[in-house]
Amino acid sequence: MKRIAIFHPVDDRYGASKILAYVLSFLSREYKCDVYIPALTHEIELTLQELVSHDVNVNFIEFPCAPLVHRKMYSLKGLYVWVWQNIRTLRFLMKLRKDYEIVYINTVALFSISLICRMLNVKNMVHCHEYLKGSLYGEVIRRIIRFGADKIVCVSAKVASYIGDNPKVVVIHNGIPDVTLRVTERASSTPDDMIHFAMVGRVMPEKGQWFLCEAVKNLPDYLKKKIKIHVYGDAPPTRSHLFKEFKSLISDAQLDSVFVLHGFDPDASKKASLLDVWIIPSIMVDPFPTTVIEGLRAGKVVLTTDNGGASEIIKDGVNGFLIKHGDVQYFTNLLSSFLQLSSEERKNIQQQARMTYEQSYGIEKFQDRFEIFFNDVIKNKA
């Protein structure tokens, strides 16, 4: 059985890590997969175990010298450590380069590995989940992976526009497995008879929690009393203060009765599937949010901003709603209009959401798209 080396920056259950688990669930049927991660927490492994009942050909290996790009590296000491990590990775790949058919780099946080592979004449591909256009470091990363990688998989056309027109680039939309737990419309006969919103993701301004708070603050009181917003997720490890900051923002806006902060919950997606609405109000350009597909899978109304990859699958007013990013008043007006829809109108949108998932974004569709491409790369046809 052929072997592939996979480099991934963090072991968690958020977007790119979930997608990696899904990819491993089918690639491991044909290939032995060695997954190198700076620090193992076994979250991806647990996600994979939930997906498949049989033994998989996957080894998770702690690789602390992975040259990971992060905020703390932008100092003389940080750059020195990063350069040294690249040297150690170079030596590592020099020893093992003949053991692997290809090196698969998941996310551009490990972009320099593609350059190392090019130096060693090792076939490699980069799976780009990021949109970094407009920044100096984003331009550096873009140029290096265009030079170093043999192929670049972009999760959306938006991400591909950042990488730029190049024969190496291919767009493959993500897909996710179906789940047995699916409630098309949460029972509305609960005592509070409220509409429950779910927001799943890292707690930080770029992801839109602050934006959401400002929009909800502007709603009339009678509408605030109709909603409950469940926020699942914690702050990034390097910015842990943001969770407390967001909690204070909610209190200052007198919205403690509206927001429920659950923190990190490995079952967040399942619990959110029992609620009425999924909301993804990212201020940053969210390349192709997995949470949008999860909302469609659950047959829920999805509200998401219009500046990222989600706008490629959400048709405004048909299978969800698009929010003008950064426009607080537009967001408030959209929430107000949505809350006044009839139950039948919401149900029609939910049905369209589920249909969108079934037609294009199930894991079988994703597997077909990805395997055809990947096998062609291995055979030197792509």
Side-chain angles (χ1 to χ4, degrees), residues 108 125-130 145 151-164 166 168-174 287-288 312 366 370 373:
V108 299
M125 58 173 278
V126 175
H127 201 160
C128 185
H129 302 255
E130 299 91 343
I145 63 173
K151 282 291 178 180
I152 304 168
V153 178
C154 296
V155 299
S156 65
K158 187 71 176 180
V159 172
S161 72
Y162 153 59
I163 300 299
N166 191 293
K168 295 181 179 182
V169 175
V170 61
V171 174
I172 301 178
H173 284 153
N174 297 330
F288 197 73
E312 296 171 29
F366 177 44
F370 196 94
F373 162 79

Side-chain angles (χ1 to χ4, degrees), residues 238-277:
T238 57
R239 304 162 71 191
S240 57
H241 65 280
L242 289 176
F243 193 88
K244 185 177 181 181
E245 183 180 315
F246 180 55
K247 191 173 181 180
S248 297
L249 182 70
I250 291 169
S251 295
D252 293 343
Q254 299 182 335
L255 294 173
D256 295 285
S257 62
V258 176
F259 282 85
V260 181
L261 304 185
H262 295 275
F264 172 74
D265 186 334
D267 295 321
S269 294
K270 294 178 183 178
K271 293 178 179 178
S273 295
L274 296 173
L275 306 180
D276 303 298
V277 184

